[in-house]
Structures are given as structure tokens and as C-alpha cells.
Amino acid sequence: MPVQSGSHLLQAGTDICTVQKLPGHSDVNTTNIYTRELKVAAGGTASVLDALGSLA
């Protein structure tokens, strides 16, 4: 599975254990590559919670 696919699944809220099973990773540390990718991509991303302040 490409790293982007795993990252998208995690970003959508899929459990990391589920993402681990899809490509057949035997070690969750291999799957953690996807979480590192998310941290890099989220560097300049605003949180959804930031938008809640404008609703009040």
C-alpha cells in the first residue's frame, strides 16, 4: 500500500491496527511511517477546532 493511502486512512480516523493489517505489516512500527507522513503534511494545516471559535 502506498504511504499516501495509509496516511489518508489514518487521517479519516481508521484505527492504526486496521491500517497495519491491510498491507500485511507484522510490526506496527512499519505502519508508523504513515503517522510520520501525517505529521509532516499537517505542519501548516489549521485545526477543525480553530473554526469552532467563529461559530460562537
Side-chain angles (χ1 to χ4, degrees):
M1 173 187 323
V3 172
Q4 287 180 324
S5 298
S7 298
H8 287 300
L9 288 170
L10 290 171
Q11 194 171 27
T14 305
D15 180 62
I16 194 163
C17 292
T18 302
V19 177
Q20 176 186 0
K21 291 175 186 174
L22 291 172
H25 295 162
S26 58
D27 186 356
V28 76
N29 288 322
T30 306
T31 312
N32 279 334
I33 294 168
Y34 303 139
T35 61
R36 283 186 239 131
E37 185 73 20
L38 283 177
K39 289 176 188 174
V40 170
T45 304
S47 169
V48 176
L49 298 176
D50 293 335
L52 292 177
S54 64
L55 297 176

